[in-house]
Amino acid sequence: MEAVVFIFSLLDCCALIFLSVYFIITLSDLECDYINARSCCSKLNKWVIPEMIGHSIVTVLMLVSLHWFIFLLNLPVVTWNIYRFIMVPSGNMGVFDPTEIHNRGQLKSHMKEAMIKLGFHLLCFFMYLYSMILALIND
Amino acid sequence: MSQPGTPGAPAGLQAHNGAASASGAPYSNGPVPSAMMSSHIAVNQGYNSQLPGSYPHLLPAKTLNPASGQSSYHASQGSGQAFHRPPVASHPVGPSLHSGPVPQMLPPASQSPAAGPRLPGGFPPGSSPLPPVNWQHSPPSLAPQASHCPPAPSQPTVLGNTHLSAHHQYVPSGDPSLQNSCATSGSALPLRNPPLPTTFQPGAPPGPPPAGGPPLVRALAPQKASLRAAPQPSFNAAVNQEGITSNTNNGSMMVHSSYDAIEGGGFLATPQLATKNPQMSQGVGYAYPSLPPGYQNTTPPSSATGMPSSSLNYPSGPQAFPQTSLGANHLTASMSGLSLHPEGLRVVNLLQERKILPATPLQPPAPNLHEDIQKLNCNPELFRCTLTSIPQTQALLNKAKLPLGLLLHPFKDLVQLPVVTSSTIVRCRSCRTYINPFVSFLDQRRWKCNLCYRVNDVPEEFMYNPLTRVYGEPHRRPEVQNATIEFMAPSEYMLRPPQPPVYLFVFDVSHNAVETGYLNSVCQSLLDNLDLLPGNTRTKIGFITFDSTIHFYSLQEGLSQPQMLIISDIDDIFIPMPENLLVNLNESKELVQSLLKTLPQMFTKSLETQSALGPALQAAFKLMSPTGGRMSVFQTQLPTLGVGALKPREEPNQRTSAKEIHLTPSTDFYKKLALDCSGQQVAVDLFLLSGQYSDLASLGCISRYSAGSVYYYPSYHHQHNPVQVQKLQKELQRYLTRKIGFEAVMRIRCTKGLSIHTFHGNFFVRSTDLLSLPNVNPDAGYAVQMSVGESLTDTQLVSFQSALLYTSSKGERRIRVHTLCLPVVSTLNEVFLGADVQAISGLLANMAVDRSITASLSDARDALVNAVIDSLSAYRSSVLSNQQPGLMVPFSLRLFPLFVLALLKQKSFQTGTNARLDERIFAMCQVKNQPLVYLMLTTHPSLYRVDNLSDEGALNINDRTIPQPPVLQLSVENLSRDGAFLMDAGSVLMLWIGKNCAQNFLTQVLGVQNYASIPQTMTELPDLDTPESARTIAFISWLREQRPFFPILYIIRDESPMKANFLQNMVEDRTESALSYYEFLLHIQQQVNK
């Protein structure tokens, strides 16, 4: 059972890593002027909710399977994701707003955020991998 | 379109005109595209005879020319220019081409021997835009030049011709509309022409048309006839083949003969050239011919034909120009700055000096640059930086606590604008910067970009200077002589053929709208200005009205009256007939007129109270998306139906608390639609005429991101509020007739090391530095914030360049480039000395608007106050050595606290119950969209006492005496009951009459018997035949002339409703919720000295 939980988390984590990489690529495309703000933001906004859900599922799974440490590790990031989503001002077109993204260094902060998330997911990935192997061995 | 000429045109610009004509018309300074193009066409084809026909006034000009045939074509060119700026015409045009007469006008050229031939071309001596000092030729090259004088002149002509041919290629690519422009310019010409003849002395025999002339004339005739109809392609084709050859020949001849006339000597080269030219130009076509080696050697010298005196003027190598000269002179310049303005270095104790407001309007500070560079610098009205001395590092900037940013007014109506038509636009190969006055020429063939420091080659075409008609002087080209210049863009700058001007009007006709009666005024204004709408024969116009349904109007040609189509399915909008809803204005003018006449009556009985603005906007967008254009939306209430419906959010009781107000849009519908519009080159201008809350915060997005503008007329009513009616009429008049640029983009580049991180204004930032402006209008200002990325220690100058690429209403693609150059400094003191307090306040206001939207109003207010406190404490702790008591500020920032206090009391940021939410948001829109000058006037109006105007210190303009009363501080203590005071708040003028105002003023100026008989709403001064009245009116009209729009004058007596507005602008006084100026100073002092 334990192994199944971690295999699922591993897969989910992989997806999140890919998503982070996708965010970074798209944002840097915008930075380099390969795409315009409108298409960049609509691309990214599409993935904000999947990312949030994907991450929440793992976190909840960890809580359910009573892996406290991993749960607590994930909790701040999940909270941040949800907070960011909820706090979008009513007039904006999502977390990434094409009219704002070039202002006040938002692009840079989005980039930084995506990088940090990538690092975090990589860390989680190895943690799940280790836990999974451990669980498989124990079985 | 109508840019008045000024007599006192800067020499540089005039020179360009000359240049224009010299090179066979590539340049003109008129902003008016049409004339330019028309002249081009004429030129290229040698359609001389056509012009005389249409422009009778030109004839004399033509006849002047000794070199008859060709000269006539020049005359036509000249006319084109004269058209733009009549008074100037005397030098510009004539000189270069009609070189014959010119020399007589010009005093002997003092600059250089080479200038002999050159000067007449374009530089009126004395006013020569660039003193030779700047442009240094290496001495060795001078010598050979001298010896080879004759070939040199010949060279230019060759180039000139090729130039022409190159130029040709643009013509065909240009749109049909170009030809139409002939017509317009022609009609306008006679008016402006008269000055021309003065330039050219009659006496020369009327020249027979050039060889190529006659056939071409015939070609033109049909063209002319069909001007209003679709252009004829054959026209262009003919040009290419015939025009060139004949032209080139003539051109060379002409030039030579005129040279002869000037110098009294013949050129050996002349005959050869004449024969050579056709071959060369044909062979080369686009580019300049590669020159025979002999020429290459000889040409550079030519510029300095045995000029012993000039060699003095050119002491060092060319590359020395910007950097070295600056470097060397930097110190002296700053020293001289010191001696000239000891004021500027003074430290001011604000608590002791109460009278800090200068009596004359505040001038922007001049950057501390060598005067030769400064002379070339961009006009501060167009391009302004908050710090005229750029700090070397971000650390230094952070220390100064002053915002670094630019304020732009790129599309301002200009009296003088050099326009360059050239086949290649010279730009840096890596950063795409346009060549500008601040680049350095390493040698004749290479220039170094001043933004990215890349070394670029000077293209062959650029070596020829049409201004002087000398080869090998790239640094004298108009591009390198003007910080503000406009290029005619070749087809590489078009993603699609230039769009026609398209105007769509969307009217709210719900019951509420009909009640206000706005349709009458708007339709009347439109009727009056229909012919003045900027455009050409391609202009399209359309109308949509809406209440709970959407009404389209078919204006198909041939219909006896407009046909109305009603779409009631607002959930799924479709366009009933795509063909005839947007129609050609010229073809359907009668239908349009009849529609405008009937429209106000059509809905008088409407009882429909709902408003489906969202669907109407969608419909309008669909209608316009194939072409792009301008959509003018008139709305009188909160939209209640369909997509984009809004709910009232304003709660009057909560106005006091700064936290709870809704400054953010409630839906993203308008933003999304605006971005769609932006993508299809549609700009939406919103006219909101509403008594109740209409959620401008949400509605405004539609204009904000589509680069439109917002107009707001609170409580508009045709009977109850005549003042608003008048305001709407005046503003519509301006709105409909002002210049407009379509499908525009703007890019702002800055020297490597600086980076732009935030943009303010109405547009969409499409990619990192590309602003998408579906429409650009001359009344819009923009601001950007910058940071210093990498250290600027190894450079002494930084430059900023804004390039605005747009399609003019005549269908030409044009690029308007402004370049600003500023020094870099390394000490905090210098940063403070160079601070531009108006620009800083303007930028802070923009930042505060952003802050109030993203955070809250109180945050924004705190941020404004902190900006003052932080910068002044930085000054106190880092610059002032001895800590004196009081509030010590650098002279440059002495008005900073005052302006910030004024901002705090401005409608956007004030607290208190008297600001309605929509008015506040409108004020914020204005902050973001207004050019700095008007923003500062609205924030901190100028107050004058006008009951005792005298001629002392008066200005004299064109025989008019304009009194210059001193600017008073905005405090009630300066008002007195026995005076009359004029407050100039940018878009409004308020004349407050004191209760005991002198009887003399009442009768002589206001034309009333006593105070009590001043009418409640009086918005005009009677034109009385008294000196007092004349002075007052002269002063007021002088104030009005300085701005493109028409500020309404309110005459206010004690009981007038406007009195509150007047007193509210007394920013130095205490109000219920805000500090007085002195209290504010004390507060700041307390914080600074902490």
Side-chain angles (χ1 to χ4, degrees), chain B residues 1-3 411 413 503 529 532-535 630 632 684-685 687 707-711 731-742 775-780 809 929 1044-1045:
Chain B
M1 169 92 198
S2 65
Q3 311 222 343
F411 204 54
D413 285 326
Y503 304 108
N529 294 304
L532 300 174
L533 281 177
R630 180 172 80 186
S632 317
V684 185
D685 293 321
F687 290 79
S709 31
V710 177
Y711 295 83
E731 292 189 353
L732 262 182
Q733 155 90 18
R734 164 73 184 161
Y735 171 78
L736 293 172
T737 56
R738 71 186 177 192
K739 221 181 140 179
I740 183 170
F742 294 98
N775 279 6
V776 57
N777 70 66
D779 301 335
S809 52
N929 195 31
F1045 45 84

Side-chain angles (χ1 to χ4, degrees), chain A residues 30-31 33 36-38 90-93 97-100 102-105, chain B residues 665-666 668 671-672 675-676 705 757-759 764-768 850 854:
Chain A
L30 179 64
E31 229 170 18
D33 232 348
N36 71 44
R38 184 95 204 261
S90 54
N92 278 16
M93 296 165 64
D97 189 281
T99 58
E100 297 285 317
H102 285 297
N103 277 358
R104 296 183 296 278
Chain B
S666 57
D668 63 358
K671 198 184 227 180
K672 272 185 181 153
L675 294 185
D676 289 337
Y705 300 110
H757 61 81
T758 304
F759 301 85
F764 171 49
V765 190
R766 200 153 66 195
S767 60
T768 37
D850 270 7
T854 51

